[in-house]
Amino acid sequence: MELEDVNSRPIGFFDTGVGGISVLKKTLEILPNENYIYFGDSKNAPYGVRPLEEVKKLTFNAIQLLLDKGCKAIVVACNTATSAAIEDLRKEYKHIPIIGIEPALKPAVEMRKKGKILIMATPLTLAEKKFSNLVKVYAKDSVIESVPCAGLVEIIEKGTLEGKELNRFLKQKLAKSLKTDIAAIVLGCTHYPFIRKELQKVVGKAVSIIDGSEGTARELKRKLEEKELVNTSLSKGKIEILNSSEEEFLVRYCYKLLELKEH
């Protein structure tokens, strides 16, 4: 196969549902000429409350689906799947760049604002060794507090991105933390950037809200350049969205979140 053919192959994005669209959206700003296939496994979501081995198996199945479609690189745009399976994926698929995502704790710490740093994530992400190792690196510089948010993914998956129901949920999850000074909130799940507006209402404008989308997109670009896999076409890339669920709403929802019409 000629180099040009390889370079025009799509980049595969995987998430447990619609959350990874937040990462794809940022990636489109940085790599607009690439072709993309996005697969959301909403049928089996949420992963964050499943046993570790089950999450690994589901993640491997999803990645294989994307590889079968000829993807030249893979982005695991899900914090839970990254925590559970990224090391095993890289061992299994050494021939292809596989980029994961992790909570953007470093930029939050480097802001050096007064108050604690909250990390909102799924229970499994927060329980994984990968996460605890990340926290250890920065714990000496900041007070870091985990906020498990079981149930938030389901709220976002059904299309609720603002309003009273979501506001009540967030106030309940953050009740203890709201009594103290908060410097920043790190969104440790790719679904969560979509409720940023409502979250900002709950915590106030002074609290910085950070996610790992840009860092992941830039790492993908770096890997593509390193492997000489960048699509040099001047035309804008195409996006195909797939979902394991039979709910047609979910694919339309993804295009809406991307602010694109269905292809």
Side-chain angles (χ1 to χ4, degrees):
M1 184 174 284
E2 294 181 7
L3 181 64
E4 191 66 31
D5 291 334
V6 174
N7 289 11
S8 64
R9 284 183 184 178
I11 296 165
F13 268 70
F14 162 63
D15 181 57
T16 60
V18 305
I21 291 290
S22 64
V23 188
L24 177 55
K25 193 172 184 179
K26 179 58 69 173
T27 305
L28 291 173
E29 295 175 15
I30 295 170
L31 293 164
N33 299 339
E34 298 289 344
N35 297 307
Y36 299 93
I37 298 178
Y38 180 93
F39 174 65
D41 190 16
S42 294
K43 181 180 178 181
N44 294 302
Y47 281 18
V49 294
R50 289 181 178 273
L52 176 62
E53 289 305 315
E54 193 175 350
V55 171
K56 282 187 180 182
K57 183 178 179 181
L58 290 168
T59 301
F60 266 82
N61 290 345
I63 300 312
Q64 190 58 56
L65 180 150
L66 290 168
L67 292 177
D68 289 345
K69 290 186 172 292
C71 291
K72 66 181 180 181
I74 298 290
V75 177
V76 182
C78 169
N79 293 83
T80 299
T82 296
S83 296
I86 197 72
E87 292 177 12
D88 291 341
L89 287 169
R90 287 173 178 156
K91 287 176 186 174
E92 181 71 21
Y93 303 111
K94 294 177 182 176
H95 66 290
I96 192 167
I98 298 181
I99 290 73
I101 188 167
E102 63 179 30
L105 194 49
K106 183 180 179 181
V109 170
E110 289 177 345
M111 293 175 79
R112 305 204 180 281
K113 290 174 66 177
K114 180 188 175 186
K116 64 177 63 171
I117 295 171
L118 305 182
I119 303 180
M120 296 174 62
T122 66
L124 183 56
T125 295
L126 296 174
E128 271 301 291
K129 187 177 179 181
K130 183 176 174 64
F131 173 76
S132 62
N133 288 342
L134 177 67
V135 170
K136 283 176 187 175
V137 173
Y138 299 104
K140 63 182 183 294
D141 299 313
S142 302
V143 177
I144 300 166
E145 187 175 288
S146 300
V147 182
C149 292
L152 185 50
V153 166
E154 292 92 322
I155 291 173
I156 297 167
E157 282 279 318
K158 72 179 186 181
T160 303
L161 305 182
E162 54 186 319
K164 291 180 180 179
E165 177 195 357
L166 179 58
N167 193 283
R168 280 196 302 270
F169 179 94
L170 293 172
K171 282 179 177 175
Q172 182 184 0
K173 291 293 180 183
L174 295 165
K176 291 182 181 178
S177 302
L178 289 171
K179 295 175 184 176
T180 61
D181 286 333
I182 303 171
I185 294 179
V186 176
L187 303 179
C189 171
T190 54
H191 281 74
Y192 299 174
F194 292 118
I195 53 97
R196 184 188 299 264
K197 184 178 176 182
E198 199 66 47
L199 179 59
Q200 201 82 68
K201 286 182 187 177
V202 171
V203 299
K205 292 180 180 179
V207 178
S208 302
I209 299 175
I210 304 167
D211 70 83
S213 298
E214 183 168 353
T216 301
R218 294 200 178 281
E219 176 64 8
L220 171 63
K221 183 182 180 185
R222 189 185 72 77
K223 283 288 186 184
L224 292 178
E225 290 171 344
E226 181 186 292
K227 302 286 186 181
E228 298 184 348
L229 287 171
V230 175
N231 189 359
T232 54
S233 169
L234 296 177
S235 61
K236 195 172 180 181
K238 296 178 181 178
I239 303 166
E240 180 182 1
I241 294 177
L242 307 171
N243 198 289
S244 60
S245 172
E246 294 179 1
E247 293 265 353
E248 292 181 12
F249 152 78
L250 287 165
V251 171
R252 294 197 304 272
Y253 185 25
C254 285
Y255 282 113
K256 182 180 178 183
L257 293 172
L258 279 175
E259 298 174 2
L260 294 173
K261 293 181 179 178
E262 289 189 46
H263 287 215

